[in-house]
Amino acid sequence: MWFSSQGSPILGFGKKSSTTSGPIVPLKRTLQERVVETESCYFCGDGRTTIGNIDRDMIVFCNQCERPCHVKCYNNGLEKKKVALKVLKEYMQFRFLCCEKCQLLRARLDEGLEKCEEIAFLRPIRSNICWRILSGMNTISDVHHYMPQIIDIFKDAFAETTAEHSDVIADMVNAKDVDGEKDFRGMYCAALTVSAHVVSAAILKVRTEEVAELVLVATRRECRKKGYFVLLIKSIEEHLRAWNVNLLTAPIDPEMAPIWSQKLGFTALSAEEKKSMLEAHPLVMFENLILMKKSFA
Ligand SMILES: [Zn+2]
Ligand SMILES: [Zn+2]
Protein backbone atom coordinates (compact mmCIF):
# COMPACT_ATOMS: atom_id res chain seq x y z
CA MET A 1 0.00 0.00 0.00
CA TRP A 2 1.27 3.42 -0.82
CA PHE A 3 0.28 6.63 0.68
CA SER A 4 1.03 10.26 0.23
CA SER A 5 2.70 11.03 3.52
CA GLN A 6 2.67 14.73 2.77
CA GLY A 7 -1.06 14.58 2.20
CA SER A 8 -0.35 16.04 -1.21
CA PRO A 9 -3.28 17.28 -3.27
CA ILE A 10 -4.76 15.26 -6.05
CA LEU A 11 -3.00 16.20 -9.27
CA GLY A 12 -4.89 14.19 -11.79
CA PHE A 13 -4.64 10.95 -13.61
CA GLY A 14 -1.90 10.62 -16.22
CA LYS A 15 0.26 13.44 -14.91
CA LYS A 16 3.88 12.70 -14.21
CA SER A 17 4.13 11.06 -10.83
CA SER A 18 7.03 10.85 -8.46
CA THR A 19 7.78 7.16 -8.43
CA THR A 20 11.39 7.65 -7.36
CA SER A 21 10.89 8.64 -3.74
CA GLY A 22 10.22 6.17 -0.96
CA PRO A 23 10.91 2.47 -0.82
CA ILE A 24 8.80 0.29 -3.06
CA VAL A 25 8.33 -3.03 -1.34
CA PRO A 26 6.55 -5.78 -3.19
CA LEU A 27 3.89 -6.85 -0.77
CA LYS A 28 2.73 -10.34 -0.18
CA ARG A 29 -0.71 -11.66 0.71
CA THR A 30 -1.03 -15.26 1.82
CA LEU A 31 -4.47 -16.35 2.95
CA GLN A 32 -4.72 -17.58 6.51
CA GLU A 33 -7.08 -20.38 7.49
CA ARG A 34 -10.20 -19.28 9.29
CA VAL A 35 -10.07 -19.63 13.06
CA VAL A 36 -13.42 -21.24 13.78
CA GLU A 37 -16.07 -22.89 11.74
CA THR A 38 -19.05 -22.93 14.00
CA GLU A 39 -21.91 -24.96 12.67
CA SER A 40 -24.45 -24.49 15.42
CA CYS A 41 -27.69 -22.86 14.36
CA TYR A 42 -27.67 -19.13 15.01
CA PHE A 43 -31.31 -19.21 16.10
CA CYS A 44 -31.51 -22.27 18.40
CA GLY A 45 -27.84 -22.88 19.22
CA ASP A 46 -28.14 -26.54 18.27
CA GLY A 47 -25.78 -28.03 15.71
CA ARG A 48 -27.77 -31.19 15.05
CA THR A 49 -28.64 -31.87 11.45
CA THR A 50 -29.31 -34.77 9.14
CA ILE A 51 -26.33 -34.86 6.84
CA GLY A 52 -27.21 -35.33 3.20
CA ASN A 53 -30.94 -34.77 3.68
CA ILE A 54 -32.76 -31.81 2.23
CA ASP A 55 -35.29 -31.30 4.99
CA ARG A 56 -36.33 -28.93 7.78
CA ASP A 57 -33.34 -29.99 9.93
CA MET A 58 -30.88 -28.96 7.22
CA ILE A 59 -28.36 -26.25 8.19
CA VAL A 60 -27.85 -23.50 5.61
CA PHE A 61 -25.47 -20.54 5.79
CA CYS A 62 -26.90 -17.07 5.30
CA ASN A 63 -25.50 -15.48 2.15
CA GLN A 64 -25.09 -12.17 3.95
CA CYS A 65 -24.01 -12.71 7.57
CA GLU A 66 -22.73 -16.27 6.92
CA ARG A 67 -24.33 -17.53 10.12
CA PRO A 68 -25.62 -21.11 9.98
CA CYS A 69 -29.29 -21.76 10.57
CA HIS A 70 -31.73 -24.65 10.44
CA VAL A 71 -34.39 -24.39 7.78
CA LYS A 72 -37.01 -24.97 10.50
CA CYS A 73 -35.64 -22.16 12.70
CA TYR A 74 -35.46 -19.76 9.75
CA ASN A 75 -39.09 -20.61 8.97
CA ASN A 76 -40.15 -19.83 12.56
CA GLY A 77 -39.87 -16.14 11.80
CA LEU A 78 -41.77 -16.33 8.52
CA GLU A 79 -45.44 -16.11 7.79
CA LYS A 80 -44.97 -17.86 4.48
CA LYS A 81 -42.77 -20.87 5.22
CA LYS A 82 -40.28 -22.06 2.64
CA VAL A 83 -39.56 -25.70 1.85
CA ALA A 84 -35.96 -26.85 2.30
CA LEU A 85 -35.39 -27.23 -1.44
CA LYS A 86 -36.37 -23.62 -2.07
CA VAL A 87 -34.01 -22.45 0.71
CA LEU A 88 -31.22 -24.52 -0.82
CA LYS A 89 -31.92 -23.06 -4.25
CA GLU A 90 -31.78 -19.52 -2.86
CA TYR A 91 -28.50 -20.36 -1.17
CA MET A 92 -27.01 -21.63 -4.43
CA GLN A 93 -28.07 -18.37 -6.08
CA PHE A 94 -26.53 -16.39 -3.20
CA ARG A 95 -29.95 -15.01 -2.29
CA PHE A 96 -30.59 -16.79 1.01
CA LEU A 97 -30.82 -14.09 3.69
CA CYS A 98 -31.56 -15.30 7.23
CA CYS A 99 -33.33 -12.29 8.67
CA GLU A 100 -34.69 -8.83 8.00
CA LYS A 101 -31.40 -7.17 9.03
CA CYS A 102 -29.51 -9.15 6.41
CA GLN A 103 -32.13 -8.34 3.77
CA LEU A 104 -31.84 -4.63 4.55
CA LEU A 105 -28.06 -4.63 4.46
CA ARG A 106 -27.97 -6.51 1.14
CA ALA A 107 -30.47 -4.07 -0.33
CA ARG A 108 -28.35 -1.11 0.80
CA LEU A 109 -25.18 -2.61 -0.64
CA ASP A 110 -26.79 -3.47 -3.96
CA GLU A 111 -28.43 -0.07 -4.25
CA GLY A 112 -25.09 1.55 -5.02
CA LEU A 113 -24.04 -1.02 -7.60
CA GLU A 114 -23.19 0.35 -11.01
CA LYS A 115 -23.80 3.93 -10.02
CA CYS A 116 -21.10 6.45 -10.72
CA GLU A 117 -21.01 8.99 -7.90
CA GLU A 118 -19.02 12.05 -8.81
CA ILE A 119 -17.03 12.98 -5.73
CA ALA A 120 -14.41 15.46 -7.01
CA PHE A 121 -13.43 17.38 -10.11
CA LEU A 122 -9.91 17.30 -11.53
CA ARG A 123 -9.18 20.69 -13.01
CA PRO A 124 -5.99 19.81 -14.93
CA ILE A 125 -7.71 17.20 -17.05
CA ARG A 126 -11.28 18.50 -16.67
CA SER A 127 -12.54 15.19 -15.50
CA ASN A 128 -14.52 13.87 -12.56
CA ILE A 129 -13.34 11.36 -10.01
CA CYS A 130 -16.10 8.81 -9.59
CA TRP A 131 -16.82 6.45 -6.75
CA ARG A 132 -18.10 3.06 -7.85
CA ILE A 133 -19.07 -0.07 -6.02
CA LEU A 134 -18.86 -3.17 -8.18
CA SER A 135 -19.69 -6.80 -7.71
CA GLY A 136 -18.05 -9.57 -9.71
CA MET A 137 -21.28 -11.50 -9.28
CA ASN A 138 -23.16 -8.92 -11.31
CA THR A 139 -22.61 -10.04 -14.86
CA ILE A 140 -24.80 -7.51 -16.64
CA SER A 141 -22.81 -4.36 -16.07
CA ASP A 142 -19.62 -2.36 -16.46
CA VAL A 143 -17.87 -5.00 -14.40
CA HIS A 144 -16.07 -6.46 -17.42
CA HIS A 145 -14.50 -3.12 -18.10
CA TYR A 146 -13.20 -2.38 -14.59
CA MET A 147 -12.40 -5.75 -13.03
CA PRO A 148 -9.34 -6.57 -15.19
CA GLN A 149 -7.92 -3.14 -14.33
CA ILE A 150 -8.52 -3.72 -10.62
CA ILE A 151 -6.86 -7.13 -10.81
CA ASP A 152 -3.83 -5.57 -12.51
CA ILE A 153 -3.56 -2.88 -9.82
CA PHE A 154 -3.61 -5.46 -7.03
CA LYS A 155 -1.21 -7.80 -8.80
CA ASP A 156 1.21 -4.94 -9.26
CA ALA A 157 0.91 -3.80 -5.62
CA PHE A 158 1.01 -7.29 -4.13
CA ALA A 159 3.49 -8.70 -6.60
CA GLU A 160 4.74 -11.42 -4.31
CA THR A 161 1.32 -12.94 -3.88
CA THR A 162 1.53 -16.24 -5.64
CA ALA A 163 -0.53 -19.26 -4.93
CA GLU A 164 0.52 -22.43 -6.63
CA HIS A 165 -2.72 -23.56 -8.13
CA SER A 166 -4.97 -20.58 -7.83
CA ASP A 167 -5.29 -16.93 -8.50
CA VAL A 168 -6.46 -15.58 -5.17
CA ILE A 169 -6.50 -11.93 -6.19
CA ALA A 170 -8.61 -12.50 -9.32
CA ASP A 171 -10.93 -14.85 -7.41
CA MET A 172 -11.53 -12.23 -4.73
CA VAL A 173 -12.07 -9.40 -7.22
CA ASN A 174 -14.49 -11.55 -9.20
CA ALA A 175 -16.22 -12.77 -5.99
CA LYS A 176 -15.83 -16.41 -6.97
CA ASP A 177 -16.67 -19.53 -5.07
CA VAL A 178 -13.59 -21.63 -5.73
CA ASP A 179 -14.60 -25.30 -5.65
CA GLY A 180 -16.56 -24.63 -2.45
CA GLU A 181 -13.21 -24.31 -0.66
CA LYS A 182 -12.58 -20.59 -0.77
CA ASP A 183 -15.86 -18.81 -1.06
CA PHE A 184 -15.29 -15.18 -2.00
CA ARG A 185 -18.92 -14.53 -2.94
CA GLY A 186 -20.20 -11.35 -1.35
CA MET A 187 -17.00 -9.41 -1.85
CA TYR A 188 -17.38 -6.03 -3.48
CA CYS A 189 -14.87 -3.78 -5.16
CA ALA A 190 -14.88 -0.12 -4.21
CA ALA A 191 -13.10 1.92 -6.83
CA LEU A 192 -12.24 5.47 -7.80
CA THR A 193 -12.31 6.01 -11.54
CA VAL A 194 -11.20 8.88 -13.73
CA SER A 195 -12.76 8.70 -17.19
CA ALA A 196 -12.48 5.01 -18.05
CA HIS A 197 -9.56 4.27 -15.73
CA VAL A 198 -9.54 2.81 -12.26
CA VAL A 199 -7.07 4.85 -10.21
CA SER A 200 -7.51 3.28 -6.78
CA ALA A 201 -9.41 0.20 -5.63
CA ALA A 202 -10.30 -1.85 -2.59
CA ILE A 203 -11.91 -5.19 -1.91
CA LEU A 204 -14.61 -4.65 0.64
CA LYS A 205 -16.68 -7.19 2.50
CA VAL A 206 -19.63 -6.09 4.58
CA ARG A 207 -21.03 -9.14 6.33
CA THR A 208 -23.10 -7.49 9.05
CA GLU A 209 -23.56 -4.03 10.51
CA GLU A 210 -21.13 -5.05 13.25
CA VAL A 211 -18.05 -5.19 11.08
CA ALA A 212 -16.84 -4.57 7.53
CA GLU A 213 -13.50 -5.66 6.12
CA LEU A 214 -11.09 -3.85 3.89
CA VAL A 215 -9.44 -6.95 2.47
CA LEU A 216 -7.09 -5.33 -0.06
CA VAL A 217 -6.50 -1.76 -1.10
CA ALA A 218 -4.07 -0.28 -3.61
CA THR A 219 -3.54 2.57 -6.05
CA ARG A 220 -2.46 2.32 -9.67
CA ARG A 221 1.32 2.77 -9.80
CA GLU A 222 1.36 5.93 -11.91
CA CYS A 223 -1.36 7.49 -9.75
CA ARG A 224 0.33 7.11 -6.40
CA LYS A 225 1.21 10.07 -4.18
CA LYS A 226 -1.68 12.11 -5.54
CA GLY A 227 -4.13 11.64 -2.72
CA TYR A 228 -6.37 9.02 -4.37
CA PHE A 229 -5.65 6.49 -1.66
CA VAL A 230 -6.86 8.74 1.16
CA LEU A 231 -9.86 9.81 -0.93
CA LEU A 232 -10.80 6.15 -1.47
CA ILE A 233 -10.51 5.31 2.24
CA LYS A 234 -12.56 8.39 3.19
CA SER A 235 -15.23 7.49 0.62
CA ILE A 236 -15.40 3.93 1.95
CA GLU A 237 -15.81 5.25 5.50
CA GLU A 238 -18.54 7.62 4.41
CA HIS A 239 -20.48 4.82 2.73
CA LEU A 240 -20.05 2.47 5.69
CA ARG A 241 -21.49 5.14 7.96
CA ALA A 242 -24.44 5.53 5.60
CA TRP A 243 -24.97 1.75 5.72
CA ASN A 244 -24.94 1.88 9.56
CA VAL A 245 -21.80 -0.23 9.80
CA ASN A 246 -20.06 0.21 13.16
CA LEU A 247 -16.53 -1.01 12.55
CA LEU A 248 -14.03 -1.35 9.72
CA THR A 249 -11.12 -3.77 9.98
CA ALA A 250 -8.10 -4.08 7.70
CA PRO A 251 -5.17 -6.50 7.60
CA ILE A 252 -2.11 -4.25 7.30
CA ASP A 253 1.61 -4.78 6.78
CA PRO A 254 3.34 -4.05 10.12
CA GLU A 255 5.56 -1.37 8.56
CA MET A 256 2.49 0.49 7.28
CA ALA A 257 0.71 0.51 10.66
CA PRO A 258 2.01 3.94 11.78
CA ILE A 259 0.61 5.57 8.64
CA TRP A 260 -2.75 3.90 9.10
CA SER A 261 -2.95 5.04 12.69
CA GLN A 262 -1.57 8.56 12.32
CA LYS A 263 -3.09 9.54 8.99
CA LEU A 264 -6.25 7.45 8.87
CA GLY A 265 -7.21 7.02 12.52
CA PHE A 266 -6.99 3.24 12.69
CA THR A 267 -5.80 1.38 15.79
CA ALA A 268 -3.97 -1.94 15.88
CA LEU A 269 -5.53 -4.87 17.68
CA SER A 270 -3.37 -6.65 20.23
CA ALA A 271 -2.68 -10.35 19.66
CA GLU A 272 -5.39 -11.21 22.17
CA GLU A 273 -7.93 -8.81 20.60
CA LYS A 274 -7.12 -10.13 17.14
CA LYS A 275 -7.65 -13.69 18.29
CA SER A 276 -11.08 -12.98 19.76
CA MET A 277 -12.06 -10.84 16.76
CA LEU A 278 -11.21 -13.69 14.39
CA GLU A 279 -13.14 -16.12 16.56
CA ALA A 280 -16.20 -13.91 16.58
CA HIS A 281 -16.07 -12.96 12.90
CA PRO A 282 -14.82 -15.10 10.03
CA LEU A 283 -12.68 -12.28 8.59
CA VAL A 284 -10.34 -12.79 5.66
CA MET A 285 -6.88 -12.66 7.19
CA PHE A 286 -3.44 -12.91 5.65
CA GLU A 287 -0.31 -14.35 7.19
CA ASN A 288 2.15 -12.07 8.99
CA LEU A 289 -0.12 -9.01 8.90
CA ILE A 290 -1.54 -7.12 11.80
CA LEU A 291 -5.23 -6.40 12.11
CA MET A 292 -6.28 -2.77 12.43
CA LYS A 293 -9.69 -1.28 13.10
CA LYS A 294 -11.62 1.94 13.01
CA SER A 295 -14.87 2.42 14.86
CA PHE A 296 -17.78 4.53 13.56
CA ALA A 297 -20.12 3.95 16.49
ZN1 LIG B 1 -31.95 -24.04 14.78
ZN1 LIG C 1 -27.97 -13.43 7.87
Side-chain angles (χ1 to χ4, degrees), residues 36-52:
V36 277
E37 290 203 5
T38 163
E39 298 211 352
S40 293
C41 171
Y42 159 62
F43 293 108
C44 71
D46 193 347
R48 264 174 292 180
T49 180
T50 44
I51 291 168

Side-chain angles (χ1 to χ4, degrees), residues 42 62-67 96-99 102:
Y42 159 62
C62 172
N63 290 131
Q64 184 57 47
C65 67
E66 297 184 357
R67 285 182 287 223
F96 173 63
L97 306 169
C98 76
C99 62
C102 287

Side-chain angles (χ1 to χ4, degrees), residues 222-240:
E222 60 270 32
C223 299
R224 287 172 196 158
K225 298 187 183 292
K226 292 178 179 175
Y228 289 120
F229 187 85
V230 181
L231 187 61
L232 177 65
I233 301 287
K234 296 287 172 206
S235 304
I236 289 171
E237 290 181 9
E238 211 174 281
H239 283 82
L240 290 175

Side-chain angles (χ1 to χ4, degrees), residues 27-215:
L27 302 174
K28 190 175 179 175
R29 291 291 180 270
T30 307
L31 269 183
Q32 199 172 293
E33 289 301 317
R34 284 183 174 185
V35 176
V36 277
E37 290 203 5
T38 163
E39 298 211 352
S40 293
C41 171
Y42 159 62
F43 293 108
C44 71
D46 193 347
R48 264 174 292 180
T49 180
T50 44
I51 291 168
N53 288 0
I54 300 171
D55 59 19
R56 58 194 300 275
D57 288 322
M58 182 173 73
I59 285 184
V60 182
F61 289 81
C62 172
N63 290 131
Q64 184 57 47
C65 67
E66 297 184 357
R67 285 182 287 223
C69 60
H70 287 119
V71 170
K72 60 182 178 192
C73 299
Y74 162 74
N75 270 327
N76 271 344
L78 293 184
E79 259 177 49
K80 219 177 146 197
K81 316 280 182 216
K82 288 180 193 167
V83 296
L85 193 62
K86 183 171 168 58
V87 170
L88 187 62
K89 206 170 154 192
E90 286 185 1
Y91 171 77
M92 303 301 282
Q93 295 167 337
F94 208 67
R95 299 192 285 114
F96 173 63
L97 306 169
C98 76
C99 62
E100 217 164 280
K101 264 195 157 182
C102 287
Q103 287 170 7
L104 266 173
L105 183 58
R106 174 67 65 88
R108 273 190 223 126
L109 290 166
D110 284 352
E111 201 180 61
L113 282 179
E114 317 317 327
K115 275 188 209 158
C116 158
E117 261 177 61
E118 291 166 3
I119 54 171
F121 182 70
L122 291 177
R123 247 168 233 279
I125 57 165
R126 296 175 177 219
S127 192
N128 283 307
I129 304 176
C130 284
W131 153 273
R132 291 173 196 274
I133 185 117
L134 305 157
S135 163
M137 300 182 73
N138 190 348
T139 48
I140 35 162
S141 66
D142 289 348
V143 162
H144 303 295
H145 177 75
Y146 296 112
M147 293 320 207
Q149 292 188 44
I150 294 174
I151 292 169
D152 284 347
I153 291 170
F154 288 140
K155 286 193 173 172
D156 185 34
F158 306 106
E160 286 203 356
T161 303
T162 49
E164 284 188 358
H165 304 291
S166 66
D167 191 342
V168 178
I169 288 178
D171 290 340
M172 287 198 286
V173 170
N174 291 318
K176 276 204 181 153
D177 180 9
V178 190
D179 306 326
E181 240 176 75
K182 297 265 183 284
D183 189 356
F184 297 125
R185 296 181 301 169
M187 285 193 175
Y188 291 82
C189 287
L192 295 185
T193 59
V194 174
S195 59
H197 302 278
V198 176
V199 292
S200 195
I203 293 179
L204 188 66
K205 179 139 192 187
V206 189
R207 191 174 283 110
T208 63
E209 288 181 355
E210 279 168 59
V211 57
E213 305 170 62
L214 198 56
V215 180

Side-chain angles (χ1 to χ4, degrees), residues 17-23 225:
S17 67
S18 51
T19 48
T20 46
S21 63
K225 298 187 183 292

